[in-house]
Amino acid sequence: MTPKRILLTGASGCVGHYIADVLIHQTQHELFLLVRNPQKFRLSVDTRPGIHLIVGDMRQIEQQNKLLKTINVAILTAAVWGGAQDVFDVNVIKTIRLMNLLDPDVCEQVIYFSTASILDREGKPLKQAGEIGTDYIRAKYACHQRLSKLAIAPQITTVFPTLVFGGDDTKPYSHLSGGITEVTKWIGLLRFLKLDGSFHFIHAQDIAQVVAHLVEHPPELGDSGTDCFANRRELVLGSEPITVNRAIADMSAYLGKRIYFRIPLTRRLIDLLIVLFRIQMAAWDRFCLGYRHFTYQHFVNPSTYGLPMRCATVAELLAASGVPGSRVPPVAIAPAPLVKAESGSAE
């Protein structure tokens, strides 16, 4: 197979590190890893020939014009999380600018990272995300709306990660993994609460394996509506959907905590607690409380393509996050069943 010239933006981030690691060790493609601060990139670029660390800023992406014209695959993970103007400039304007600088006759695929938060359960744009979402979510929504108008549009594969975990001694932790130990400290209380909700999660290693597969097996050009959802150009990345109650039960079992009873935490009770404790909530947060089931009818992960998964269960996720488990099997109530993928809601 002819080696490809691959650009990876955001290589110093959590997901970027995992993708770079997989591409370095599992392929012979020539890699161009774009980072703002090379000191934050923890992998060795001397592992094999053909690995180039490119120091640059998305805000000045035009400086990479000559390189961009030669790229066969562009993997765009770079994003800004805070600061309304910076978020829009980088996540929308400069990201679109980068795609416009690619040569459609040379670039066979763009793998663009969005977020599942901008989609409804059927995988369609969620209007509330564009109206009341956080700066980051609204920017991702705005960028997604513009993709179809680009010259490179037929080559764009958009991936929508769900809740992303990952990080270890050689890779930075994701926002969620950075706080997972704090969540486990509250399991003594959480295990006695019953909550209506469901979600997907995915480990960054599993994201990297999907991306590596897409690099070698790009979906058919412009194919966004095929009956085989795994071959679509828009892919939600996530594990099997799981209810909040099941996740708490699995976490309790992993930590050796027994569950004797559960108190339903209803929406009315939540609203009362918000008033009593004077909790400040943004419009998006209130919407999420009502929406509850952030699950999707179609989703992919390594198992979709016959590949092994790093984290398919809550226990595997906790272990991968460095949370020590209990060796004593707990006596717990039967966990709630998994969510049916086709329904997008809890059973």
Side-chain angles (χ1 to χ4, degrees):
M1 181 177 293
T2 303
K4 302 176 184 179
R5 291 169 62 86
I6 299 177
L7 171 73
L8 171 63
T9 70
S12 61
C14 174
V15 172
H17 264 85
Y18 280 93
I19 294 174
D21 196 25
V22 168
L23 293 178
I24 288 171
H25 292 98
Q26 297 184 17
T27 78
Q28 291 301 313
H29 298 306
E30 189 169 10
L31 308 178
F32 299 86
L33 311 175
L34 183 67
V35 298
R36 288 181 60 193
N37 184 352
Q39 295 181 345
K40 291 185 177 181
F41 188 72
R42 305 180 185 180
L43 304 176
S44 174
V45 296
D46 299 322
T47 302
R48 64 168 176 82
I51 305 172
H52 313 280
L53 198 62
I54 309 298
V55 180
D57 194 320
M58 283 290 293
R59 296 171 180 83
Q60 289 86 43
I61 194 60
E62 292 83 1
Q63 295 178 2
Q64 308 300 329
N65 178 50
K66 186 176 180 180
L67 170 64
L68 291 172
K69 297 299 183 186
T70 70
I71 293 299
N72 304 123
V73 179
I75 305 170
L76 310 183
T77 75
V80 171
W81 292 81
Q85 190 59 50
D86 282 345
V87 167
F88 192 84
D89 285 347
V90 172
N91 298 356
V92 183
I93 296 175
K94 292 302 182 178
T95 297
I96 294 295
R97 179 60 174 153
L98 186 157
M99 293 192 220
N100 281 330
L101 290 173
L102 296 167
D103 186 341
D105 294 327
V106 176
C107 185
E108 65 182 52
Q109 184 175 201
V110 177
I111 301 176
Y112 164 65
F113 273 72
S114 185
T115 171
S117 296
I118 71 168
L119 302 177
D120 64 17
R121 297 181 188 112
E122 285 71 46
K124 304 298 183 182
L126 181 66
K127 67 176 183 178
Q128 290 88 347
E131 296 170 352
I132 60 174
T134 64
D135 292 336
Y136 173 80
I137 290 173
R138 284 189 287 112
K140 287 295 186 180
Y141 184 95
C143 189
H144 179 254
Q145 294 295 100
R146 302 183 184 193
L147 296 182
S148 63
K149 301 178 178 64
L150 304 180
I152 200 81
Q155 288 101 301
I156 297 176
T157 301
T158 305
V159 293
F160 303 87
T162 50
L163 299 180
V164 177
F165 292 84
D168 55 33
D169 293 340
T170 63
K171 303 176 185 69
Y173 285 91
S174 72
H175 294 289
L176 291 176
S177 283
I180 198 168
T181 55
E182 290 299 316
V183 174
T184 60
K185 292 178 182 178
W186 287 93
I187 198 64
L189 173 62
L190 292 175
R191 60 188 164 138
F192 297 122
L193 299 178
K194 187 176 182 180
L195 303 167
D196 182 25
S198 54
F199 60 94
H200 304 257
F201 63 81
I202 189 164
H203 194 277
Q205 177 68 29
D206 292 324
I207 292 176
Q209 293 289 26
V210 171
V211 169
H213 175 85
L214 293 174
V215 167
E216 304 297 348
H217 308 281
E220 294 296 323
L221 294 182
D223 191 1
S224 60
T226 176
D227 290 337
C228 181
F229 68 86
N231 292 329
R232 292 182 177 182
R233 299 308 299 243
E234 295 199 333
L235 302 169
V236 173
L237 304 180
S239 62
E240 289 286 338
I242 186 172
T243 64
V244 173
N245 293 328
R246 170 69 179 269
I248 293 174
D250 289 353
M251 186 178 294
S252 299
Y254 180 84
L255 297 172
K257 302 292 185 179
R258 293 176 172 83
I259 299 177
Y260 301 102
F261 60 87
R262 277 182 163 174
I263 301 172
L265 193 58
T266 64
R267 177 63 187 275
R268 182 174 297 180
L269 179 56
I270 292 174
D271 289 339
L272 178 61
L273 293 174
I274 291 172
V275 173
L276 289 177
F277 290 96
R278 298 180 180 179
I279 300 173
Q280 299 296 318
M281 297 191 69
W284 176 251
D285 297 325
R286 288 191 176 276
F287 169 76
C288 291
L289 277 178
Y291 197 74
R292 298 192 309 278
H293 299 287
F294 283 87
T295 54
Y296 304 90
Q297 184 176 6
H298 298 304
F299 56 91
V300 301
N301 53 54
S303 66
T304 307
Y305 307 103
L307 303 171
M309 283 189 69
R310 170 77 179 275
C311 294
T313 67
V314 170
E316 291 173 343
L317 181 63
L318 291 171
S321 301
V323 177
S326 171
R327 295 182 180 179
V328 180
V331 178
I333 63 173
L338 288 171
V339 179
K340 288 184 178 180
E342 65 271 19
S343 67
S345 61
E347 292 185 35

